[in-house]
Structures are given as C-alpha cells and as structure tokens.
Amino acid sequence: MRKVLALIFCLTIIGGLLAIPVNSFFESFDTSDSMPTGWSTIVQSESTVSNVWVHTADFDANSGTNMVKMYGNTDGQQDILVLVSPEVTSVSANQLNFYSKSSWGENTDTLIVGTLSNPTDFSTFNPVATYQMGADYVQFSVDFDASNTDSYIAFVNPLTSQYGYATYVDDVSWEPSTSVPNPAVAIYPEDYELNVLINFLDNIMTNSFEWSATGGNPTSYKLNFGTDNPPTNIISDMELGDVMAYASNTALNYSTQYFWQIIPTNDAGDAVNCPVWGFSTMSATVIDFNTVNSYSEGFETAEVGWLPLGMEQQNVNDDSAQWSGIASTDWSPNAHTGTMAVHMAFSFNSAHDDYLYTPPMYMIAGNTYHISFWYKTSRFDESIEKLNVLVGDSPVNSAMTTELWNNDNIINIEYAQATFDYIPTESGLNFLALHAYSEVLQMVLLVDDLNITEEETSSNEDNIVNPNSLSVSNFPNPFNPETTIEFSIPKGKTGSLGIYNLKGQLVVKYPNLNSQDTKIVWKGIDTNGNEAPSGTYFYRLSSDGKTQSGKMTLLK
C-alpha cells in the first residue's frame, strides 16, 4: 500500500511539474504539424468536419509554413471553435499579440479573444475583445485587466450560419511589452541555401526574402544585405516596417555568395545577437544549339510548387494561380513519365494569363527546331482549358510576338502530344512560352516532357562556316578575370568581333579586324569601361556575310 501511495505521489509531482504555469510564451506553430505542448482545443459542432488544428500551407501562414486553422462547416447551426493557450501565471502580467485573417477575406469571420478558468469547459469563457477578420493578416494586441484571475487565453471562432469558413491564427506571443525582440529565423533563403533563383531580365531574386519572428513583440524589422559578412555593402539597416517579407530589386550575379540579416525592433530597442545567413545564387542557364542539338525537360528536378532551374513564370494578372511543379500520387497520375509535371492551377477569381518560359536558347537561323510536349486536363463537368505556345527574344509577354501552336479546346483527361516546328530567321537568343489563358473557374492544366531537337536543314548549308577559313574560340572558359579569344579571318577579308550578354545586348565590339589579327584578350570590361557582372556571354565573329560564335562564362 505504501508503494502505491508513493507511486501516486510521484506521479502527482511529475504531473504538477508538467503543468507549471508559464511566465511568457511565443508560438509560431512551425515546429510540428501537431498542436504544441500545453495548447488545446474545444470543438462544439454538429458537423464532423468542423475542427481546430495546426495546418501546413505556406501561402496561408503569416510566417513559416504552419498556422492554426479554425474551420467551421456549419449550415445554420452554432459552431464553437476554441484555441486554448498553455496555463499562464497571470493573464494581466503580459501583453497578448497575435496575427489573424479570414479564409474568404470579406470581413465575414469573427474572432473573439478572452480567457478561461477551465481549459476544457467553454462555459467558463470570459470575452475580452472581438475582431472582424479580413483577407490579409493583421496583428492584434490585447491587454488584460488586472482583476482577471483566469489562467488560460482563448481564441474563439463562433460560426453561426456560415458554410466552409475558416479563421487563421499565427505567431501568438504573450510577453512583457518592455523588452527588446528576440532574433528572427530565416524562411527564405535558408542558411547555406544553394541555387537561389534570379530572373533573366534584370537579375533580381525571383522570390522574396522571408523570415519569422520568435517572440519579444517586434514592431518593425531592419535588413542588412551584401557580399560582405556581416553584410552592409548592398543594403545597410533598411527600415522595412512590420512585415516578414521583402522583395529585393537589387541586380545579383550568377554563382555568387551573398549574406543577409534581419534585425527585429520595438520601442525597447533592437534585437541582439541576430544571426547572419548565407546563400549562393544559381548558375547561368543557356541552351546553346552551337554545342548541343536537343533540349529536354521532364520536370523531374522540380520540387512541388517550384519550377526547374532556368525556367521562369509570369503571372500577368497577379492572381493566386500560377505555373508550378506537381507530383503524381496514387490517386492522381499527374506526370506523363516519371513522377513530376508542371501544372496551371485552378483559378477562383480571374481568367488565366500565365506564361511559362524556357531557359534562354541560342538558336541558329535557318535550322529547323522540332518541338513537342504532352498535355492534359483534370476535367470537371464541361470545363475547357486553353493553351498556346509562343516564341520571342525575351521572357516577358510583350516580347512573345510569334505563335507556334494553339489549342483553345483542351478537354482530354489522358495525355496527348503536341508537335510543331520553328525555323528562326535570325541567329540569337530565343525563349519559348507556354501560355495558359483558360477562363475563370475551369480546372487544372498539366504539361510534361517538353523536347526540342535541332535539325540542320539544307537551306542553311550555305551559312555553315568552314572553320579553316573563319573560326573563333576562347580559353580559359570559365574565366576570371580575363580570357583570350582566338580567331581566324580569311585572307583578304575584314571582320568584327562582338561580345553580348544573355539579353542579347552588346557589351563591347572590336571592329576593323583582318587576317593579320588572331586574338583579343577580354578583361571583362564593357564599352564604357565598367566591369561586366559575372554570368554567361556570347562572342560572335562576323566576316564576309558569315558568322561564327561561342559561349563563355565570367565567374567572380
């Protein structure tokens, strides 16, 4: 009997230790897809799907990837959905701060914040503040009266006659309002992340910097960014306001390491010991048909929600639907071959106007390029998808001047193949674009196994240069800081050598060359005496109506 009593006593002590009230907390819900330790829920509903849970979806989170979703599926009945905090020492000791929004964004969702004396009994709920939710996250602050003796903070979504509505709650802190914030954590790019995407047109990051708070009630953030560590030489102490993302407009170099730092601030001052994170940008991606005769993309290297390196997408109407990678599942074979494809997602609000661009391709005038890909739809009722393929000299819709293929009645739910040819009239950079333009409220369009094969046609034979009479090459390649471009020009002829960037823009030109000239040393300097950024460049030797070209990479 004494052993039993001792065991009960020990269990009571252990249980008491586990249930000790906390003096403060910050919860981002990102460490697990389960409810964090100490947190609980109350669900009173006649619907079996109404619930409160930790939900994973980075587009619905205020920061990170997780948030709490309070979802009601009632139709005329009363739902009580409650998120309950861990037990606290005294609710009035600290200030409550949290972010919240509505799933529909029409100020239709109500959130009531209050306290409970019993975390399992909603009848003990004491309401303190009521808020209307909108489409975007808003931070709310609550100060509790000193007379409030309850030990639990509660978030209540009291649905009454709404069907399929949800309220999201994220980044909840109950902390003293007079201390400096805690350091932030990096969401994107993560520390040591490789192949960070930069776009072709202006070399800026494709995706925004993103971070998450870890507590301390930050009210604003500062950004430091550069190639130095600690970073200062690009951006130093830029005030960003109360945001957790920043879209940089700074042109970056390919294959380069950068560093960034976020400093949370509030009225008490700046966070201390803020970490510095590093990342490296992607290498330049060019499909040069001088050196290869085919290009294939099966999207197997793409992660779900992303695109393969070198491909870009343009969401013209800036809606929530865009091109991205999608995986096959047991119940949905999305890929034609392998396990991955790309898809154009369902659009609730607007017609599609979305372009998926290939990497830049150096194509040769007069040659025939055989192009094929596979496509289908996950059709519902009478839905119809629309897709065309265009070509242009830059990855932007205004440059897509030539249509190569079009289908405005895609209803096949099994993959079909599209095949067509393209013969460029001028040698140079080209981009193919898959342009989705389906009407609003259709379904999903899928594409896989894009292939481009070059065929040197007889009409182009006259343009093929005899390397014994006109030739050009460079060494070393890649290079830093200089490379030697060696060439030969037929005896008695003159010529010129131009160096171009990936956009087809002339960087520097060497005119009036003759057969006595055999090499040029390029030190990475443009016509104006400025240093050219790292990346891929093309050189083109022209003489007597003929050309020879090559590709080189400057690495810094």
Side-chain angles (χ1 to χ4, degrees):
M1 183 67 180
R2 288 181 180 178
K3 291 182 178 180
V4 173
L5 291 174
L7 178 60
I8 294 173
F9 177 76
C10 289
L11 290 174
T12 302
I13 294 298
I14 293 172
L17 289 174
L18 290 175
I20 289 177
V22 297
N23 295 316
S24 65
F25 65 77
F26 173 82
E27 185 54 64
S28 65
F29 305 102
D30 289 325
T31 57
S32 172
D33 57 2
S34 300
M35 198 62 70
T37 301
W39 290 78
S40 60
T41 65
I42 301 173
V43 176
Q44 297 179 4
S45 174
E46 295 186 5
S47 170
T48 58
V49 297
S50 293
N51 207 350
V52 180
W53 74 98
V54 175
H55 181 60
T56 300
D58 53 5
F59 52 85
D60 275 332
N62 180 60
S63 67
T65 58
N66 293 359
M67 82 301 298
V68 169
K69 185 173 183 177
M70 310 173 73
Y71 176 77
N73 198 39
T74 184
D75 188 9
Q77 304 299 318
Q78 175 74 52
D79 267 8
I80 298 297
L81 309 175
V82 188
L83 172 67
V84 184
S85 78
E87 184 179 6
V88 301
T89 51
S90 173
V91 292
S92 63
N94 294 333
Q95 183 182 69
L96 175 69
N97 288 274
F98 66 95
Y99 289 82
S100 188
K101 73 169 186 175
S102 164
S103 61
W104 288 89
E106 298 176 354
N107 290 317
T108 52
D109 287 357
T110 299
L111 185 70
I112 303 173
V113 178
T115 58
L116 289 165
S117 59
N118 184 335
T120 63
D121 185 359
F122 184 68
S123 67
T124 68
F125 179 66
N126 175 28
V128 174
T130 300
Y131 303 102
Q132 293 296 120
M133 301 297 101
D136 300 315
Y137 273 106
V138 174
Q139 186 180 35
F140 301 98
S141 298
V142 180
D143 291 303
F144 298 100
D145 192 271
S147 62
N148 191 326
T149 60
D150 291 339
S151 299
Y152 300 88
I153 300 170
F155 304 83
V156 180
N157 188 359
L159 293 173
T160 54
S161 62
Q162 298 163 340
Y163 182 84
Y165 280 69
T167 292
Y168 300 106
V169 176
D170 201 2
D171 295 329
V172 182
S173 67
W174 180 70
E175 298 170 313
S177 58
T178 57
S179 60
V180 300
N182 298 330
V185 295
I187 302 299
Y188 183 86
E190 295 181 349
D191 200 14
Y192 299 109
E193 183 151 348
L194 303 177
N195 292 320
V196 168
L197 303 178
I198 57 178
N199 64 38
F200 177 82
L201 286 177
D202 45 24
N203 286 22
I204 65 173
M205 283 176 58
T206 302
N207 302 298
S208 298
F209 289 108
E210 291 186 46
W211 58 94
S212 176
T214 62
N217 297 322
T219 58
S220 184
Y221 297 89
K222 298 177 185 177
L223 171 66
N224 294 314
F225 178 43
T227 56
D228 52 343
N229 186 8
T232 57
N233 62 0
I234 296 178
I235 295 174
S236 179
D237 284 342
M238 175 185 283
E239 295 280 356
L240 302 178
D242 186 16
V243 297
M244 294 191 193
Y246 172 72
S248 172
N249 59 4
T250 301
L252 306 182
N253 291 324
Y254 290 102
S255 303
T256 301
Q257 186 173 37
Y258 292 90
F259 300 92
W260 67 296
Q261 180 186 45
I262 291 294
I263 302 177
T265 68
N266 62 18
D267 290 341
D270 294 349
V272 297
N273 300 320
C274 296
V276 173
W277 308 296
F279 67 89
S280 296
T281 51
M282 62 184 283
S283 59
T285 303
V286 179
I287 312 304
D288 184 2
F289 283 100
N290 281 303
T291 58
V292 300
N293 61 8
S294 66
Y295 164 69
S296 295
E297 181 55 75
F299 306 102
E300 295 303 303
T301 62
E303 297 182 18
V304 173
W306 295 76
L307 298 173
L309 281 178
M311 300 195 85
E312 298 183 14
Q313 64 92 17
Q314 182 184 9
N315 186 353
V316 176
N317 53 16
D318 198 27
D319 59 7
S320 60
Q322 59 186 18
W323 287 103
S324 62
I326 188 171
S328 288
T329 65
D330 292 339
W331 51 270
S332 180
N334 295 315
H336 174 249
T337 60
T339 60
M340 294 293 299
V342 289
H343 78 302
M344 188 64 233
F346 179 86
S347 177
F348 285 97
N349 300 316
S350 58
H352 290 318
D353 192 6
D354 295 82
Y355 293 78
L356 175 62
Y357 299 108
T358 64
M361 299 181 292
Y362 190 87
M363 292 179 163
I364 300 168
N367 285 355
T368 300
Y369 294 87
H370 304 295
I371 303 168
S372 66
F373 63 91
W374 295 80
Y375 64 95
K376 72 172 185 176
T377 177
S378 56
R379 196 179 187 210
F380 180 75
D381 287 341
E382 301 298 318
S383 64
I384 297 174
E385 303 298 333
K386 300 178 181 181
L387 177 71
N388 62 353
V389 179
L390 305 105
V391 65
D393 60 5
S394 188
V396 62
N397 61 322
S398 60
M400 294 292 114
T401 55
T402 303
E403 183 179 76
L404 304 178
W405 179 89
N406 180 53
N407 189 339
D408 61 1
N409 188 39
I410 297 176
I411 59 175
N412 51 291
I413 60 174
E414 300 295 335
Y415 269 106
Q417 188 179 33
T419 59
F420 49 93
D421 292 341
Y422 172 54
I423 303 175
T425 57
E426 295 182 0
S427 298
L429 291 181
N430 288 271
F431 296 80
L432 289 187
L434 301 174
H435 175 222
Y437 64 102
S438 307
E439 300 298 329
V440 67
L441 297 176
Q442 300 306 299
M443 276 304 290
V444 175
L445 175 66
L446 297 108
V447 171
D448 201 2
D449 294 330
L450 171 65
N451 184 74
I452 303 172
T453 303
E454 180 189 46
E455 178 185 349
E456 293 186 2
T457 59
S458 57
S459 61
N460 192 43
E461 289 180 353
D462 292 339
N463 292 326
I464 298 176
V465 178
N466 183 348
N468 293 323
S469 60
L470 185 72
S471 64
V472 62
S473 62
N474 80 294
F475 184 83
N477 187 18
F479 67 95
N480 181 23
E482 64 182 40
T483 187
T484 299
I485 303 174
E486 297 184 342
F487 55 89
S488 64
I489 296 175
K491 191 173 182 178
K493 304 294 183 179
T494 61
S496 63
L497 177 73
I499 297 175
Y500 302 84
N501 62 21
L502 279 175
K503 302 175 185 178
Q505 299 168 329
L506 180 66
V507 176
V508 65
K509 187 172 185 178
Y510 301 91
N512 304 319
L513 303 176
N514 57 52
S515 59
Q516 303 301 312
D517 299 310
T518 59
K519 65 181 179 181
I520 288 172
V521 177
W522 187 51
K523 298 184 177 181
I525 304 299
D526 67 14
T527 301
N528 298 318
N530 300 317
E531 289 189 4
S534 63
T536 299
Y537 294 84
F538 293 95
Y539 50 86
R540 184 184 302 162
L541 179 67
S542 302
S543 177
D544 195 30
K546 298 180 175 64
T547 64
Q548 282 278 56
S549 60
K551 179 178 69 173
M552 57 186 175
T553 302
L554 171 59
L555 297 178
K556 292 186 177 181

